[in-house]
CSV table of all heavy atoms in Angstrom, one decimal:
chain,number,residue,atom,x,y,z
A,1,PHE,N,-9.6,7.8,6.3
A,1,PHE,CA,-10.8,8.1,5.6
A,1,PHE,C,-11.0,7.0,4.5
A,1,PHE,O,-12.1,6.6,4.2
A,1,PHE,CB,-10.7,9.5,5.0
A,1,PHE,CG,-11.0,10.6,6.0
A,1,PHE,CD1,-10.1,11.5,6.3
A,1,PHE,CD2,-12.3,10.6,6.7
A,1,PHE,CE1,-10.4,12.5,7.2
A,1,PHE,CE2,-12.5,11.6,7.6
A,1,PHE,CZ,-11.6,12.5,7.9
A,2,VAL,N,-9.9,6.6,3.9
A,2,VAL,CA,-10.1,5.5,2.8
A,2,VAL,C,-10.6,4.2,3.4
A,2,VAL,O,-11.4,3.6,2.8
A,2,VAL,CB,-8.7,5.3,2.1
A,2,VAL,CG1,-8.7,4.0,1.3
A,2,VAL,CG2,-8.4,6.5,1.2
A,3,THR,N,-10.2,3.9,4.6
A,3,THR,CA,-10.7,2.7,5.2
A,3,THR,C,-12.2,2.7,5.5
A,3,THR,O,-12.8,1.7,5.7
A,3,THR,CB,-9.9,2.3,6.5
A,3,THR,OG1,-10.1,3.3,7.5
A,3,THR,CG2,-8.4,2.1,6.2
A,4,LYS,N,-12.7,3.9,5.6
A,4,LYS,CA,-14.1,4.1,5.9
A,4,LYS,C,-15.0,4.3,4.7
A,4,LYS,O,-16.2,4.5,4.8
A,4,LYS,CB,-14.3,5.4,6.9
A,4,LYS,CG,-13.5,5.3,8.1
A,4,LYS,CD,-13.9,4.1,9.0
A,4,LYS,CE,-13.2,4.0,10.3
A,4,LYS,NZ,-13.2,2.7,10.9
A,5,MET,N,-14.4,4.4,3.5
A,5,MET,CA,-15.1,4.6,2.3
A,5,MET,C,-16.0,3.4,2.0
A,5,MET,O,-15.6,2.2,2.1
A,5,MET,CB,-14.2,4.7,1.1
A,5,MET,CG,-13.5,6.0,1.0
A,5,MET,SD,-12.5,6.2,-0.5
A,5,MET,CE,-12.4,4.6,-1.3
A,6,PRO,N,-17.3,3.6,1.6
A,6,PRO,CA,-18.2,2.5,1.3
A,6,PRO,C,-17.8,1.8,0.0
A,6,PRO,O,-18.2,0.7,-0.2
A,6,PRO,CB,-19.6,3.1,1.2
A,6,PRO,CG,-19.3,4.6,0.9
A,6,PRO,CD,-17.9,4.9,1.5
A,7,ALA,N,-17.2,2.5,-1.0
A,7,ALA,CA,-16.9,1.9,-2.3
A,7,ALA,C,-15.7,2.7,-3.0
A,7,ALA,O,-15.3,3.7,-2.5
A,7,ALA,CB,-18.1,2.0,-3.2
A,8,THR,N,-15.3,2.1,-4.1
A,8,THR,CA,-14.2,2.8,-4.9
A,8,THR,C,-14.8,4.1,-5.5
A,8,THR,O,-15.9,4.1,-5.9
A,8,THR,CB,-13.8,1.8,-6.0
A,8,THR,OG1,-13.2,0.6,-5.3
A,8,THR,CG2,-12.7,2.4,-6.9
A,9,ILE,N,-13.9,5.0,-5.5
A,9,ILE,CA,-14.2,6.3,-6.2
A,9,ILE,C,-13.5,6.4,-7.5
A,9,ILE,O,-12.2,6.4,-7.4
A,9,ILE,CB,-13.9,7.5,-5.2
A,9,ILE,CG1,-14.7,7.4,-3.9
A,9,ILE,CG2,-14.2,8.8,-5.9
A,9,ILE,CD1,-14.2,8.4,-2.9
A,10,SER,N,-14.2,6.5,-8.6
A,10,SER,CA,-13.5,6.7,-9.9
A,10,SER,C,-13.3,8.2,-10.1
A,10,SER,O,-14.2,9.0,-10.1
A,10,SER,CB,-14.4,6.1,-11.0
A,10,SER,OG,-14.5,4.7,-10.8
A,11,LEU,N,-12.0,8.5,-10.3
A,11,LEU,CA,-11.7,9.9,-10.7
A,11,LEU,C,-11.6,10.2,-12.2
A,11,LEU,O,-12.0,11.2,-12.7
A,11,LEU,CB,-10.4,10.3,-9.9
A,11,LEU,CG,-10.5,10.3,-8.4
A,11,LEU,CD1,-9.1,10.6,-7.8
A,11,LEU,CD2,-11.5,11.2,-7.9
A,12,ILE,N,-10.9,9.2,-12.8
A,12,ILE,CA,-10.8,9.2,-14.3
A,12,ILE,C,-11.2,7.8,-14.8
A,12,ILE,O,-10.4,7.0,-15.1
A,12,ILE,CB,-9.4,9.6,-14.8
A,12,ILE,CG1,-9.0,10.9,-14.2
A,12,ILE,CG2,-9.3,9.6,-16.3
A,12,ILE,CD1,-7.5,11.3,-14.5
A,13,GLY,N,-12.5,7.6,-14.8
A,13,GLY,CA,-13.0,6.3,-15.3
A,13,GLY,C,-12.4,5.1,-14.5
A,13,GLY,O,-12.2,5.2,-13.3
A,14,ASP,N,-12.0,4.1,-15.2
A,14,ASP,CA,-11.3,2.9,-14.6
A,14,ASP,C,-9.8,3.2,-14.6
A,14,ASP,O,-9.1,2.3,-14.0
A,14,ASP,CB,-11.6,1.7,-15.4
A,14,ASP,CG,-13.1,1.2,-15.2
A,14,ASP,OD1,-13.7,1.6,-14.2
A,14,ASP,OD2,-13.6,0.5,-16.1
A,15,PHE,N,-9.3,4.3,-15.1
A,15,PHE,CA,-7.9,4.5,-15.2
A,15,PHE,C,-7.3,5.0,-13.8
A,15,PHE,O,-6.3,4.5,-13.4
A,15,PHE,CB,-7.5,5.5,-16.3
A,15,PHE,CG,-6.1,5.8,-16.3
A,15,PHE,CD1,-5.2,4.9,-16.8
A,15,PHE,CD2,-5.6,7.0,-15.9
A,15,PHE,CE1,-3.8,5.1,-16.9
A,15,PHE,CE2,-4.2,7.3,-15.9
A,15,PHE,CZ,-3.4,6.4,-16.4
A,16,PHE,N,-8.0,5.9,-13.2
A,16,PHE,CA,-7.5,6.4,-11.9
A,16,PHE,C,-8.6,6.4,-10.9
A,16,PHE,O,-9.6,7.1,-11.0
A,16,PHE,CB,-7.0,7.9,-12.1
A,16,PHE,CG,-6.3,8.5,-10.9
A,16,PHE,CD1,-5.1,8.1,-10.5
A,16,PHE,CD2,-7.0,9.5,-10.2
A,16,PHE,CE1,-4.5,8.6,-9.4
A,16,PHE,CE2,-6.4,10.0,-9.1
A,16,PHE,CZ,-5.1,9.6,-8.7
A,17,GLN,N,-8.4,5.6,-9.8
A,17,GLN,CA,-9.4,5.5,-8.8
A,17,GLN,C,-8.8,5.5,-7.4
A,17,GLN,O,-7.6,5.2,-7.2
A,17,GLN,CB,-10.1,4.1,-9.0
A,17,GLN,CG,-10.7,3.9,-10.3
A,17,GLN,CD,-11.3,2.5,-10.5
A,17,GLN,OE1,-10.7,1.5,-9.9
A,17,GLN,NE2,-12.4,2.3,-11.2
A,18,ILE,N,-9.7,5.9,-6.4
A,18,ILE,CA,-9.3,5.8,-5.0
A,18,ILE,C,-10.0,4.5,-4.6
A,18,ILE,O,-11.2,4.3,-4.6
A,18,ILE,CB,-9.9,7.0,-4.2
A,18,ILE,CG1,-9.4,8.3,-4.8
A,18,ILE,CG2,-9.5,6.8,-2.7
A,18,ILE,CD1,-7.9,8.5,-4.8
A,19,GLU,N,-9.2,3.5,-4.2
A,19,GLU,CA,-9.7,2.2,-3.9
A,19,GLU,C,-8.9,1.6,-2.7
A,19,GLU,O,-7.7,1.5,-2.8
A,19,GLU,CB,-9.5,1.3,-5.1
A,19,GLU,CG,-9.9,-0.2,-4.9
A,19,GLU,CD,-9.6,-1.0,-6.2
A,19,GLU,OE1,-8.5,-1.1,-6.5
A,19,GLU,OE2,-10.6,-1.4,-6.8
A,20,TYR,N,-9.5,1.3,-1.6
A,20,TYR,CA,-8.9,0.8,-0.4
A,20,TYR,C,-8.3,-0.6,-0.7
A,20,TYR,O,-9.0,-1.5,-1.2
A,20,TYR,CB,-9.9,0.8,0.7
A,20,TYR,CG,-9.4,0.1,2.0
A,20,TYR,CD1,-8.2,0.4,2.6
A,20,TYR,CD2,-10.1,-0.9,2.6
A,20,TYR,CE1,-7.7,-0.2,3.7
A,20,TYR,CE2,-9.7,-1.6,3.7
A,20,TYR,CZ,-8.5,-1.2,4.3
A,20,TYR,OH,-8.1,-1.8,5.4
A,21,SER,N,-7.1,-0.8,-0.4
A,21,SER,CA,-6.5,-2.2,-0.4
A,21,SER,C,-5.4,-2.3,0.6
A,21,SER,O,-4.9,-1.4,1.1
A,21,SER,CB,-5.9,-2.4,-1.8
A,21,SER,OG,-4.8,-1.6,-2.1
A,22,LYS,N,-5.2,-3.6,1.0
A,22,LYS,CA,-4.2,-3.9,2.0
A,22,LYS,C,-3.0,-4.5,1.3
A,22,LYS,O,-3.1,-5.5,0.6
A,22,LYS,CB,-4.8,-4.9,3.0
A,22,LYS,CG,-6.0,-4.4,3.7
A,22,LYS,CD,-6.6,-5.5,4.6
A,22,LYS,CE,-7.9,-5.1,5.2
A,22,LYS,NZ,-8.5,-6.1,6.0
A,23,ASN,N,-1.8,-3.9,1.6
A,23,ASN,CA,-0.6,-4.4,1.0
A,23,ASN,C,0.2,-5.1,2.1
A,23,ASN,O,0.8,-4.4,2.9
A,23,ASN,CB,0.2,-3.2,0.4
A,23,ASN,CG,1.4,-3.7,-0.4
A,23,ASN,OD1,1.8,-4.8,-0.3
A,23,ASN,ND2,2.0,-2.8,-1.1
A,24,PHE,N,0.3,-6.4,2.0
A,24,PHE,CA,1.0,-7.2,3.0
A,24,PHE,C,2.5,-7.4,2.6
A,24,PHE,O,3.3,-7.8,3.4
A,24,PHE,CB,0.3,-8.6,3.2
A,24,PHE,CG,-1.0,-8.5,3.9
A,24,PHE,CD1,-2.1,-8.4,3.2
A,24,PHE,CD2,-1.0,-8.4,5.3
A,24,PHE,CE1,-3.4,-8.3,3.8
A,24,PHE,CE2,-2.3,-8.3,5.9
A,24,PHE,CZ,-3.4,-8.3,5.2
A,25,GLY,N,2.8,-7.1,1.3
A,25,GLY,CA,4.1,-7.3,0.8
A,25,GLY,C,4.9,-6.0,0.7
A,25,GLY,O,4.7,-5.1,1.5
A,26,VAL,N,5.8,-6.0,-0.3
A,26,VAL,CA,6.6,-4.8,-0.5
A,26,VAL,C,6.1,-4.2,-1.8
A,26,VAL,O,4.9,-4.3,-2.1
A,26,VAL,CB,8.1,-5.2,-0.6
A,26,VAL,CG1,8.6,-5.5,0.8
A,26,VAL,CG2,8.4,-6.3,-1.5
A,27,ILE,N,7.0,-3.5,-2.5
A,27,ILE,CA,6.6,-2.8,-3.7
A,27,ILE,C,5.7,-3.7,-4.7
A,27,ILE,O,6.0,-4.9,-4.9
A,27,ILE,CB,7.8,-2.3,-4.5
A,27,ILE,CG1,7.4,-1.4,-5.6
A,27,ILE,CG2,8.7,-3.4,-4.9
A,27,ILE,CD1,8.6,-0.6,-6.2
A,28,PHE,N,4.6,-3.2,-5.1
A,28,PHE,CA,3.6,-3.8,-5.9
A,28,PHE,C,3.0,-5.1,-5.3
A,28,PHE,O,2.5,-6.0,-5.9
A,28,PHE,CB,4.2,-4.2,-7.3
A,28,PHE,CG,4.8,-3.0,-8.0
A,28,PHE,CD1,6.1,-3.1,-8.5
A,28,PHE,CD2,4.1,-1.9,-8.2
A,28,PHE,CE1,6.7,-2.0,-9.1
A,28,PHE,CE2,4.7,-0.8,-8.8
A,28,PHE,CZ,6.0,-0.9,-9.3
A,29,GLY,N,3.1,-5.2,-3.9
A,29,GLY,CA,2.5,-6.3,-3.2
A,29,GLY,C,3.4,-7.6,-3.3
A,29,GLY,O,2.9,-8.7,-2.9
A,30,LEU,N,4.6,-7.5,-3.7
A,30,LEU,CA,5.5,-8.7,-3.8
A,30,LEU,C,5.6,-9.3,-2.3
A,30,LEU,O,5.9,-8.5,-1.4
A,30,LEU,CB,6.8,-8.4,-4.3
A,30,LEU,CG,6.8,-7.9,-5.8
A,30,LEU,CD1,8.2,-7.5,-6.2
A,30,LEU,CD2,6.4,-9.1,-6.7
A,31,PRO,N,5.5,-10.6,-2.2
A,31,PRO,CA,5.5,-11.1,-0.8
A,31,PRO,C,6.9,-11.1,-0.2
A,31,PRO,O,7.9,-11.3,-0.9
A,31,PRO,CB,5.0,-12.6,-1.1
A,31,PRO,CG,5.3,-12.9,-2.5
A,31,PRO,CD,5.2,-11.6,-3.2
A,32,MET,N,6.9,-10.9,1.1
A,32,MET,CA,8.1,-10.9,1.9
A,32,MET,C,7.7,-10.9,3.3
A,32,MET,O,6.7,-10.4,3.7
A,32,MET,CB,9.0,-9.6,1.6
A,32,MET,CG,10.3,-9.7,2.2
A,32,MET,SD,11.4,-8.3,1.8
A,32,MET,CE,11.8,-8.6,0.1
A,33,ALA,N,8.5,-11.6,4.1
A,33,ALA,CA,8.2,-11.7,5.6
A,33,ALA,C,8.1,-10.4,6.2
A,33,ALA,O,8.9,-9.5,6.0
A,33,ALA,CB,9.3,-12.6,6.3
A,34,LYS,N,7.1,-10.2,7.1
A,34,LYS,CA,6.9,-8.9,7.8
A,34,LYS,C,8.2,-8.4,8.5
A,34,LYS,O,8.5,-7.2,8.4
A,34,LYS,CB,5.7,-9.0,8.8
A,34,LYS,CG,5.4,-7.8,9.5
A,34,LYS,CD,4.2,-8.0,10.4
A,34,LYS,CE,4.0,-6.8,11.3
A,34,LYS,NZ,2.9,-7.0,12.2
A,35,ILE,N,8.9,-9.3,9.2
A,35,ILE,CA,10.0,-8.9,10.0
A,35,ILE,C,11.1,-8.4,9.0
A,35,ILE,O,11.9,-7.4,9.3
A,35,ILE,CB,10.5,-10.0,10.9
A,35,ILE,CG1,11.7,-9.5,11.8
A,35,ILE,CG2,11.0,-11.2,10.1
A,35,ILE,CD1,11.2,-8.5,12.8
A,36,VAL,N,11.3,-9.0,7.9
A,36,VAL,CA,12.3,-8.6,6.9
A,36,VAL,C,11.9,-7.2,6.4
A,36,VAL,O,12.8,-6.3,6.2
A,36,VAL,CB,12.4,-9.6,5.7
A,36,VAL,CG1,13.3,-9.1,4.6
A,36,VAL,CG2,12.9,-10.9,6.2
A,37,ILE,N,10.7,-6.9,6.1
A,37,ILE,CA,10.2,-5.6,5.6
A,37,ILE,C,10.5,-4.5,6.7
A,37,ILE,O,11.1,-3.5,6.4
A,37,ILE,CB,8.7,-5.6,5.3
A,37,ILE,CG1,8.4,-6.6,4.1
A,37,ILE,CG2,8.2,-4.2,4.9
A,37,ILE,CD1,7.0,-6.9,3.9
A,38,ILE,N,10.2,-4.8,7.9
A,38,ILE,CA,10.4,-3.9,9.0
A,38,ILE,C,11.9,-3.6,9.2
A,38,ILE,O,12.3,-2.4,9.3
A,38,ILE,CB,9.7,-4.3,10.3
A,38,ILE,CG1,8.2,-4.2,10.1
A,38,ILE,CG2,10.2,-3.5,11.5
A,38,ILE,CD1,7.4,-4.8,11.2
A,39,LEU,N,12.7,-4.6,9.2
A,39,LEU,CA,14.1,-4.5,9.4
A,39,LEU,C,14.7,-3.7,8.2
A,39,LEU,O,15.6,-2.8,8.4
A,39,LEU,CB,14.8,-5.8,9.5
A,39,LEU,CG,14.6,-6.6,10.8
A,39,LEU,CD1,15.2,-8.0,10.8
A,39,LEU,CD2,15.2,-5.8,12.0
A,40,PHE,N,14.3,-4.0,7.0
A,40,PHE,CA,14.8,-3.3,5.8
A,40,PHE,C,14.4,-1.8,6.0
A,40,PHE,O,15.3,-0.9,5.7
A,40,PHE,CB,14.1,-3.9,4.6
A,40,PHE,CG,14.6,-3.2,3.3
A,40,PHE,CD1,15.9,-3.4,2.8
A,40,PHE,CD2,13.7,-2.4,2.6
A,40,PHE,CE1,16.3,-2.8,1.7
A,40,PHE,CE2,14.2,-1.8,1.4
A,40,PHE,CZ,15.5,-2.0,1.0
A,41,ALA,N,13.2,-1.5,6.4
A,41,ALA,CA,12.8,-0.1,6.5
A,41,ALA,C,13.6,0.6,7.6
A,41,ALA,O,14.1,1.8,7.5
A,41,ALA,CB,11.3,0.1,6.8
A,42,LEU,N,13.9,-0.1,8.7
A,42,LEU,CA,14.6,0.5,9.8
A,42,LEU,C,16.1,0.7,9.5
A,42,LEU,O,16.7,1.6,10.1
A,42,LEU,CB,14.5,-0.4,11.1
A,42,LEU,CG,13.1,-0.4,11.7
A,42,LEU,CD1,13.1,-1.5,12.9
A,42,LEU,CD2,12.8,1.0,12.3
A,43,ILE,N,16.6,0.0,8.5
A,43,ILE,CA,18.0,0.2,8.0
A,43,ILE,C,18.0,1.3,6.9
A,43,ILE,O,18.8,2.1,6.9
A,43,ILE,CB,18.6,-1.1,7.5
A,43,ILE,CG1,18.8,-2.0,8.7
A,43,ILE,CG2,19.9,-0.9,6.8
A,43,ILE,CD1,19.1,-3.5,8.3
A,44,LEU,N,17.0,1.2,6.0
A,44,LEU,CA,16.9,2.1,4.9
A,44,LEU,C,16.7,3.5,5.2
A,44,LEU,O,17.4,4.4,4.6
A,44,LEU,CB,15.9,1.6,3.9
A,44,LEU,CG,15.8,2.3,2.6
A,44,LEU,CD1,17.0,2.1,1.8
A,44,LEU,CD2,14.6,1.9,1.8
A,45,ILE,N,15.8,3.8,6.1
A,45,ILE,CA,15.5,5.2,6.4
A,45,ILE,C,16.7,6.0,7.0
A,45,ILE,O,17.1,7.1,6.4
A,45,ILE,CB,14.3,5.3,7.4
A,45,ILE,CG1,13.0,4.8,6.7
A,45,ILE,CG2,14.1,6.7,7.9
A,45,ILE,CD1,11.9,4.6,7.6
A,46,PRO,N,17.5,5.5,8.0
A,46,PRO,CA,18.7,6.2,8.4
A,46,PRO,C,19.8,6.2,7.3
A,46,PRO,O,20.5,7.2,7.2
A,46,PRO,CB,19.2,5.4,9.6
A,46,PRO,CG,18.0,4.5,10.0
A,46,PRO,CD,17.2,4.3,8.8
A,47,THR,N,19.9,5.2,6.5
A,47,THR,CA,20.9,5.2,5.4
A,47,THR,C,20.6,6.3,4.4
A,47,THR,O,21.4,7.0,4.0
A,47,THR,CB,20.9,3.8,4.8
A,47,THR,OG1,21.2,2.8,5.7
A,47,THR,CG2,22.0,3.8,3.7
């Protein structure tokens, strides 16, 4: 549903919003190779 939204929805002014974004990295969008992220997740979840 978020990918189909026409615009950002402000819930509490500019402080809290529903806004579609693409995160290609890890936490806070820090860059990392896709394969490393996937391998990390595949190890982390069972651990």
Side-chain angles (χ1 to χ4, degrees):
F1 283 119
V2 165
T3 63
K4 304 300 181 195
M5 287 185 346
T8 298
I9 299 171
S10 294
L11 300 175
I12 304 175
D14 289 339
F15 178 73
F16 185 72
Q17 301 174 327
I18 304 298
E19 176 182 68
Y20 172 54
S21 67
K22 299 174 183 179
N23 185 349
F24 291 93
V26 290
I27 189 168
F28 308 126
L30 295 173
M32 187 177 288
K34 181 179 172 183
I35 188 68
V36 174
I37 296 169
I38 291 171
L39 288 174
F40 182 71
L42 291 173
I43 292 168
L44 184 63
I45 294 168
T47 302

